[in-house]
Amino acid sequence: MQEIRIEMTKNPKQKPAPGTALGFGKIFTDHMFIMNYDEGQGWHDARIVPYGPIPLDPAAMCLHYGQEVFEGLKAYRTPEGKISLFRPDRNMARLNNSNERLCIPKIDEAFAVEATKKLVEIDQDWIPTEEGTSLYIRPFIFATDPMVGVHPAHHLLFVIILSPVGAYYPEGLNPVKIYVEKNYVRAVRGGLGFAKTAANYAASLKAQQEAEDEKYTQVLWLDGVERKYVEEVGTMNVFFVIGDEIVTPALQGSILPGVTRMSAVEMLKSWGLKVSERRISIDEIAQAYKDGKLTEAFGTGTAAVISPIGELKWGDVKMIINNGEIGELSQKLYDNLTGIQFGKLEDPYGWTVKF
Ligand SMILES: *Cc1c(COP(=O)(O)O)cnc(C)c1O
């Protein structure tokens, strides 16, 4: 495995005082990981250096054509004082799937996990310890070739930065309000939907802004072709509890394969529950609601873990789910997933990496 050169900062920053409202992704730690890719040399010069600006040529290709991919995971402080990561191998495997789609040279997944551990270890005093807080880890790769011409890059940077975060939603675990997006689409099969890449978010900003203007938290995307089948929520995958079946849309190319989604499916199945990954139309959901069978809906993602949906609006139809309160299953999933992530519960699945 490659050596990682380490240069410690001479000017450590002031850490947020205990009890400070951290928000999400606003504060960054003292160090960052960087590695270069140059054609002919491959990935090289891995280093951990003081956090700071990265010089870029104004013609750098990432700025013009969006050749960029990213990941998101968290480090947690366990009650014994260890550091815990949740399924980092899944994140690095997904990073390579995104790389493949964006014509970015693959990284060594095991090395990327080691680099993440090393960086978190160096900045471990930045892991906040209040209930529900953690250290968000953002690995990302972008094209730096100074060339205004559309072509896959020959020069790239792989960077990892860290950010102490509070609860993702200001409302906390309170159910969120979501509406079904009718005007815009996020992704289509054959496009970029399954890749974690900036372009998907560029496509979603307008819808997000309009939702916030109407006091909704996020939108629920429908498929981009028939505008009929449910895909996912802004930054989360989505689940519906209908009668005795728990349904989440099948991964068919336009949906981001969430690590939290995968873990929720595995956990629910291990509890002997009926989980289906299948196509589900918005009509089916509205009908289930009418019939009184839609008992819970929730989103899954690293940032919020489980985010119950209290209201789902589809045109004039306003579905108030479980009286707008968190459902039993959503709560149980949240407690068990976060319990394992924070090292408060035993991890029978072998998902956590503790060091
Ligand atoms: C990252 C992401 C998710 C959630 O994935 P996790 O691995 O569970 O964090 C869901 N949808 C989109 C669009 C995402 O970018």
Side-chain angles (χ1 to χ4, degrees):
M1 233 179 241
Q2 280 196 49
E3 282 282 314
I4 302 176
R5 178 170 65 80
I6 294 170
E7 179 194 334
M8 299 296 286
T9 183
K10 293 191 180 67
N11 302 297
K13 290 182 266 193
Q14 179 101 41
K15 294 182 185 68
T20 309
L22 298 168
F24 193 90
K26 295 183 197 164
I27 301 165
F28 298 95
T29 65
D30 281 324
H31 299 90
M32 61 184 179
F33 170 86
I34 306 195
M35 185 175 202
N36 296 60
Y37 179 90
D38 294 292
E39 202 173 56
Q41 269 182 287
W43 286 109
H44 66 93
D45 200 15
R47 58 211 186 266
I48 290 172
V49 294
Y51 184 94
I54 298 171
L56 267 191
D57 193 289
M61 285 189 359
C62 62
L63 300 176
H64 303 271
Y65 308 117
Q67 196 184 5
E68 190 266 4
V69 294
F70 67 96
E71 269 306 323
L73 64 161
K74 284 173 171 176
Y76 310 84
R77 183 66 80 179
T78 73
E80 303 85 55
K82 284 193 162 177
I83 301 166
S84 170
L85 300 179
F86 187 72
R87 311 188 85 175
D89 55 321
R90 303 315 309 162
N91 290 92
M92 297 314 174
R94 185 172 65 190
L95 188 58
N96 265 342
N97 287 339
S98 303
N99 283 341
E100 158 74 33
R101 181 64 182 84
L102 274 289
C103 299
I104 292 174
K106 297 255 174 95
I107 52 147
D108 177 335
E109 293 167 24
F111 176 72
V113 171
E114 286 311 309
T116 303
K117 285 168 71 177
K118 190 77 213 165
L119 179 64
V120 170
E121 196 177 23
I122 286 175
D123 277 345
Q124 60 175 290
D125 290 347
W126 287 86
I127 305 174
T129 50
E130 280 93 52
E131 185 71 28
T133 62
S134 55
L135 187 67
Y136 187 74
I137 304 167
R138 169 52 58 87
F140 57 110
I141 303 176
F142 57 96
T144 58
D145 300 34
M147 187 175 90
V148 182
V150 180
H151 197 273
H154 301 303
H155 306 277
L156 301 101
L157 285 178
F158 175 23
V159 183
I160 307 175
I161 55 175
L162 306 173
S163 172
V165 297
Y168 189 70
Y169 290 102
E171 302 100 309
L173 237 205
N174 289 332
V176 294
K177 288 166 66 182
I178 303 279
Y179 73 63
V180 181
E181 181 56 56
K182 287 198 154 180
N183 298 321
Y184 307 108
V185 298
R186 172 186 173 273
V188 290
R189 243 191 274 187
L192 301 174
F194 70 88
K196 212 166 172 74
T197 179
N200 287 326
Y201 282 89
S204 76
L205 290 175
K206 187 82 176 154
Q208 178 66 27
Q209 185 182 44
E210 290 180 12
E212 282 173 20
D213 286 348
E214 292 187 39
K215 305 278 180 266
Y216 282 79
T217 313
Q218 293 194 354
V219 305
L220 177 66
W221 297 105
L222 298 181
D223 76 278
V225 178
E226 295 180 68
R227 311 264 187 121
K228 184 174 167 186
Y229 296 100
V230 169
E231 300 235 299
E232 60 180 305
V233 175
T235 55
M236 298 185 288
N237 296 111
V238 68
F239 289 70
F240 300 92
V241 184
I242 300 176
D244 70 351
E245 185 190 18
I246 305 158
V247 187
T248 189
L251 303 174
Q252 28 60 347
S254 56
I255 297 173
L256 201 285
V259 176
T260 320
R261 174 192 181 280
M262 178 198 299
S263 308
V265 167
E266 290 171 28
M267 189 174 262
L268 291 166
K269 283 186 177 167
S270 78
W271 293 342
L273 298 173
K274 181 177 167 197
V275 187
S276 312
E277 299 180 61
R278 63 169 174 89
R279 286 222 289 192
I280 180 162
S281 67
I282 187 65
D283 302 270
E284 182 185 339
I285 289 165
Q287 188 60 48
Y289 178 75
K290 237 166 118 184
D291 298 343
K293 287 186 182 155
L294 176 66
T295 52
E296 292 185 43
F298 55 90
T300 62
T302 295
V305 190
I306 299 291
S307 194
I309 299 171
E311 178 189 327
L312 182 61
K313 186 169 166 290
W314 178 39
D316 299 332
V317 184
K318 211 181 238 190
M319 300 174 232
I320 305 295
I321 304 166
N322 195 40
N323 283 324
E325 287 162 22
I326 181 164
E328 211 176 299
L329 196 62
S330 310
Q331 184 74 55
K332 189 176 170 192
L333 261 183
Y334 179 83
D335 291 344
N336 281 275
L337 279 170
T338 57
I340 289 173
Q341 289 169 337
F342 282 91
K344 289 177 183 163
L345 293 180
E346 213 188 303
D347 172 15
Y349 309 93
W351 287 337
T352 49
V353 174
K354 296 199 177 92
F355 57 104

